[in-house]
Amino acid sequence: MASFYFRNKTHFLFIEVALFIAMLLLTEFAVRAYREASLQQSRLETLDRGAQLRAFLESEINQAAFLATGVESYVVAREGSIEDEEIQRILALIFERNQHFRNIGLAPGNQLTWVYPEAGNESVLGLNYADLPEQWPAIQRVIETGQGILSGPLELVQGGNGLIYRSPVYINDNYWGLLSTVIDADSLLSLIRSAAGDLASRISLRNVDDEGQPGRTFFGDSENFNSPLELTPVRVPGGEWQMAIQLPENVGSQVMSLRISGVFISILVAVFLGSILRMIWQRNLLQQLDSEVLTRTAELSETNDLLDSVLSAARSFAIIATDLSGTIIVFNNGAERMLGYSADEMVGKHQPDIFLLNDELRERAAKISGELGRRLIGNELLTYRISQGGTEELMIHYKHRDGHLIPVQVVISALTDLQGKVRGYLGIAEDVSERLRNQTLKDQFISTVSHELRTPLTAITGALGLMRSGSIGALPETVQSMVEIAHNNSQRLASLVNDLLDVEKLMAGRMVLYPDKQEIADLVHSAVSDLLPLAKIQNVELKEHANVSACIWVDSARFQQVLTNLLSNAIKFSPPGGQVSITTALESGRIRIMVLDQGSGIPESFQDHIFQRFAQAEAGDSRQKAGTGLGLAISKELTEQMGGCIGFEAERSEGCCFWVEFPLYNDARSGNENT
């Protein structure tokens, strides 16, 4: 039948044209689907970035209002009886806590009497708000509503543009005056523009009046409010703004190049399938084959079909095999989907380095060359360790045909024959993008929550500190006790937030260290002195045996954070009447600092997880102790980033011993660090 239908070249040409048209239609469908998917992804990413920017903007603005409440509380507590030196000190303290403040002022009876800083603001001292016709209606609304309101951006009396947060102060239900906080609008909007990055030109902000009607656009192009991708409210004290977000213009710009590639691939596929049909036709014309060859061919065909089925079914994994020279001999459907290349393009024509990153290859080459003491030869870069027996698991990146990077987990093993001789190498890769994305989302969630907690917590702690110190007047004994409890717990909560932020910075690689030459005895003594009050409260004796005179190259504050974590843990888990000691020892150009306690030790089942984030043992009474499970994880990251190492001695007759170890300081090392 084949010889009847495909007897001349005209029939084959017709079939190849039909195949080309069919592939072209499939390509166009795929290109349209890709364009829609790209647009949808861009919309989601743009909306997500817009939501983050809105939350960031609200946080920056509302922080000013939270900080201002401390001053208001002070005025109310003093019933309006204000001492000039004391109010200036409080205003300075609040002013330094926000990078966007231009000034903070108090206006009893609507006359601006105190302002910080005075330098540059002399022109507004003594100003009566009733003499400002443009601002007086907004000030009257603040007084009438009894609520703090953010106004602006508007032109300031002392020059420049600013946002003004005004809050009325009432003493015994009687209006006393105004608290005014001026925010540098240019500084705030510049920070927003920097945070928006390449999206800055696609975002605009405008005011909204009390009746919900839009006002003037003060950030970005007002054209962005015409058919925006999203129009979202920005909550500010006493009102709201509107933020318009537009989709970037370059979405879907690769469609034309994909169409051209699709036409090219369609031609190749049509020619390839037409050639296969010709081969089938020619094969049907062959004479009988030797029976033994037919039998062997059938066996091989069955084996190949089984292998093809397995490789085709593994669509979630990129399975790539090479011969001993490194040339690709297997490139399954999963590899095609993951990398964008077809098996026909890769098999027998390329080596895996076509989709590997040069930087990762150089790093791996340097590491293995250092182990071998010689340069690598041929494809030893990827195969040396596997050729020594076993398998190797790597976390690397594949480079897609279109250039984007794919994080993958690869297991590489050797292919052997029946005699056990290595004939090639097999790599099975899994795309871990979603896993890493989930981890990133979790870290971002922790970071966002931590930052959002810090803003109100700062105001609470500040207000409690003022009450506790007696700055606002003496408190009854019972109230003083309650304030002490609240202040202590707010500080514990602040410590938790700081731990969360430290972990987030360490994991993101944004922790900045300032190493310098430090005397180890001074560092140990300072850490012990800070924790003596805690040891006294816990009825634990804290002993210091750091009599070694030596220097190390570390960040002083971060090193003391590590020691404080180890010492506070030892005190917390020691029994009443127990003893915690810290000692130092020199050995082979390194110094080891050891913290020993007399607690119940570390359960064997928990020892492998001791330095993991949020890890806490379940045995004994450890869960009864307060803590986040972050201290040791932070200590490990900080120690290693400063060039040291950390560990513990598990097998002890009683208690536990944690240690940190650093190389001793020398001039050559410090010179390298400074360069």
Side-chain angles (χ1 to χ4, degrees):
M1 292 296 293
S3 62
F4 176 80
Y5 287 109
F6 306 127
R7 196 172 294 276
N8 56 61
K9 294 183 179 179
T10 304
H11 292 147
F12 284 110
L13 181 60
F14 175 80
I15 291 173
E16 288 177 348
V17 171
L19 288 171
F20 171 73
I21 294 173
M23 290 300 302
L24 204 58
L25 292 174
L26 289 175
T27 299
E28 180 62 22
F29 176 81
V31 168
R32 291 179 181 236
Y34 170 80
R35 182 176 182 277
E36 287 301 317
S38 297
L39 285 171
Q40 182 63 20
Q41 180 66 24
S42 181
R43 290 190 189 98
L44 293 176
E45 291 177 353
T46 302
L47 291 175
D48 182 60
R49 289 181 61 188
Q52 294 178 6
L53 191 63
R54 177 184 60 79
F56 176 73
L57 177 59
E58 290 180 343
S59 176
E60 288 293 319
I61 293 174
N62 288 324
Q63 184 187 40
F66 281 121
L67 290 173
T69 57
V71 179
E72 182 179 346
S73 299
Y74 165 78
V75 174
V76 174
R78 294 299 299 267
E79 294 185 351
S81 177
I82 299 175
E83 296 180 3
D84 186 79
E85 181 179 347
E86 187 174 29
I87 191 61
Q88 287 291 350
R89 179 176 58 82
I90 293 175
L91 291 176
L93 178 65
I94 299 300
F95 179 87
E96 292 172 357
R97 298 201 175 196
N98 190 291
Q99 60 178 321
H100 306 299
F101 281 167
R102 283 195 60 174
N103 63 64
I104 304 176
L106 275 174
N110 298 328
Q111 184 169 6
L112 195 58
T113 305
W114 292 282
V115 63
Y116 186 90
E118 290 187 1
N121 294 294
E122 295 87 352
S123 60
V124 299
L125 278 172
L127 176 69
N128 194 307
Y129 286 134
D131 296 332
L132 300 176
E134 294 182 0
Q135 299 184 25
W136 181 243
I139 296 172
Q140 284 182 309
R141 188 159 64 92
V142 171
I143 298 172
E144 292 170 358
T145 60
Q147 296 180 347
I149 296 177
L150 183 75
S151 301
L154 47 82
E155 186 174 352
L156 301 174
V157 174
Q158 61 270 48
N161 292 319
L163 299 168
I164 303 180
Y165 171 73
R166 298 187 179 95
S167 177
V169 180
Y170 284 86
I171 299 177
N172 298 325
D173 296 329
N174 294 317
Y175 175 69
W176 177 84
L178 282 178
L179 169 65
S180 173
T181 303
V182 179
I183 300 171
D184 191 325
D186 294 333
S187 170
L188 177 63
L189 296 179
S190 176
L191 183 63
I192 298 303
R193 185 175 291 104
S194 175
D198 58 350
L199 202 61
S201 63
R202 313 300 297 171
I203 289 181
S204 297
L205 292 169
R206 67 185 180 188
N207 296 107
V208 177
D209 63 21
D210 296 340
E211 298 177 358
Q213 296 301 314
R216 69 180 184 89
T217 300
F218 59 86
F219 178 85
D221 192 342
S222 60
E223 293 296 324
N224 288 335
F225 285 97
N226 298 330
S227 302
L229 175 63
E230 183 179 65
L231 188 63
T232 184
V234 178
R235 307 298 181 188
V236 298
E240 71 176 42
W241 296 344
Q242 282 184 343
M243 181 170 69
I245 306 172
Q246 290 284 2
L247 196 65
E249 295 177 341
N250 61 349
V251 177
S253 60
Q254 297 180 337
V255 171
M256 184 56 67
S257 62
L258 289 175
R259 283 198 174 98
I260 295 173
S261 300
V263 172
F264 180 73
I265 293 173
S266 298
I267 294 173
L268 290 180
V269 172
V271 172
F272 176 72
L273 293 178
S275 300
I276 291 178
L277 291 175
R278 290 191 184 208
M279 293 175 59
I280 293 174
W281 175 62
Q282 293 172 354
R283 185 176 180 180
N284 288 335
L285 298 177
L286 294 175
Q287 298 294 326
Q288 62 177 15
L289 298 175
D290 182 83
S291 59
E292 183 177 350
V293 174
L294 286 174
T295 302
R296 183 61 179 163
T297 300
E299 292 175 353
L300 290 175
S301 178
E302 182 179 353
T303 302
N304 286 335
D305 288 343
L306 178 60
L307 178 59
D308 288 341
S309 298
V310 172
L311 294 179
S312 298
R315 297 173 65 84
S316 298
F317 295 87
I319 301 176
I320 303 170
T322 69
D323 58 19
L324 290 176
S325 67
T327 302
I328 295 174
I329 57 176
V330 173
F331 199 82
N332 79 325
N333 290 344
E336 292 179 325
R337 290 179 47 158
M338 183 180 293
L339 297 171
Y341 298 97
S342 69
D344 296 316
E345 294 176 277
M346 304 300 288
V347 174
K349 301 175 183 177
H350 294 284
Q351 294 190 349
D353 57 6
I354 191 175
F355 50 80
L356 297 176
L357 299 185
N358 291 332
D359 289 344
E360 292 184 345
L361 293 177
R362 282 193 293 269
E363 182 180 349
R364 179 175 172 82
K367 184 176 182 179
I368 298 178
S369 297
E371 295 175 0
L372 296 178
R374 62 173 176 82
R375 293 176 61 87
L376 298 177
I377 302 174
N379 66 340
E380 282 187 330
L381 175 63
L382 295 174
T383 63
Y384 172 75
R385 289 178 176 168
I386 296 93
S387 64
Q388 305 304 305
T391 61
E392 184 173 11
E393 186 173 316
L394 303 173
M395 287 292 294
I396 58 176
H397 289 84
Y398 277 176
K399 182 169 63 177
H400 191 274
R401 184 172 193 158
D402 63 14
H404 79 268
L405 302 182
I406 308 164
V408 294
Q409 183 173 354
V410 187
V411 177
I412 305 176
S413 58
L415 296 174
T416 58
D417 57 18
L418 296 176
Q419 287 73 40
K421 185 177 181 180
V422 176
R423 295 296 185 184
Y425 301 95
L426 175 68
I428 302 176
E430 179 186 6
D431 186 345
V432 295
S433 300
E434 188 63 26
R435 187 192 310 170
L436 297 179
R437 188 178 299 112
N438 290 337
Q439 180 63 38
T440 301
L441 288 174
K442 184 181 74 174
D443 292 341
Q444 289 176 345
F445 173 77
I446 292 175
S447 175
T448 301
V449 171
S450 301
H451 280 286
E452 291 301 316
L453 282 175
R454 174 177 276 183
T455 300
L457 185 58
T458 300
I460 293 171
T461 304
L464 289 172
L466 290 173
M467 296 174 65
R468 176 173 173 268
S469 65
S471 298
I472 61 174
L475 299 174
E477 184 176 349
T478 54
V479 175
Q480 183 70 33
S481 175
M482 297 298 292
V483 169
E484 289 282 351
I485 294 173
H487 186 263
N488 291 338
N489 280 279
S490 68
Q491 289 186 321
R492 288 179 58 190
L493 185 55
S495 176
L496 167 60
V497 172
N498 288 335
D499 281 351
L500 289 171
L501 291 175
D502 280 348
V503 166
E504 187 266 336
K505 288 181 181 178
L506 287 167
M507 294 302 102
R510 295 187 287 103
M511 177 68 76
V512 180
L513 300 177
Y514 302 95
D516 200 355
K517 178 183 177 183
Q518 302 291 341
E519 173 63 50
I520 191 64
D522 293 340
L523 296 175
V524 171
H525 182 72
S526 178
V528 170
S529 298
D530 289 344
L531 289 172
L532 283 174
L534 175 62
K536 184 176 181 181
I537 293 172
Q538 298 288 339
N539 191 22
V540 173
E541 183 181 5
L542 185 56
K543 288 192 172 183
E544 175 186 350
H545 303 286
N547 53 4
V548 175
S549 178
C551 293
I552 56 178
W553 186 260
V554 294
D555 183 310
S556 174
R558 294 302 179 181
F559 180 83
Q560 292 212 37
Q561 183 178 352
V562 173
L563 286 188
T564 298
N565 280 335
L566 298 184
L567 286 169
S568 62
N569 278 349
I571 293 171
K572 181 169 61 176
F573 290 103
S574 290
Q579 182 183 102
V580 172
S581 60
I582 181 168
T583 63
T584 55
L586 291 173
E587 183 178 354
S588 302
R590 298 178 69 85
I591 186 165
R592 175 174 287 197
I593 303 97
M594 295 164 286
V595 177
L596 301 90
D597 63 48
Q598 296 177 342
S600 58
I602 304 172
E604 183 176 354
S605 60
F606 182 65
Q607 291 176 8
D608 292 338
H609 312 287
I610 191 72
F611 290 109
Q612 292 179 1
R613 286 180 289 168
F614 303 105
Q616 289 183 313
E618 296 290 342
D621 66 343
S622 58
R623 294 298 291 172
Q624 306 299 323
K625 308 295 184 181
T628 63
L630 292 173
L632 289 177
I634 294 173
S635 298
K636 183 175 187 297
E637 290 290 337
L638 289 174
T639 300
E640 292 177 352
Q641 288 195 24
M642 290 188 292
C645 54
I646 188 171
F648 63 93
E649 297 176 7
E651 298 180 0
R652 295 178 57 83
S653 58
E654 66 172 357
C656 184
C657 174
F658 278 85
W659 54 265
V660 290
E661 189 174 276
F662 286 87
L664 293 177
Y665 167 83
N666 60 70
D667 292 335
R669 183 177 186 278
S670 66
N672 293 336
E673 293 285 352
N674 290 330
T675 57

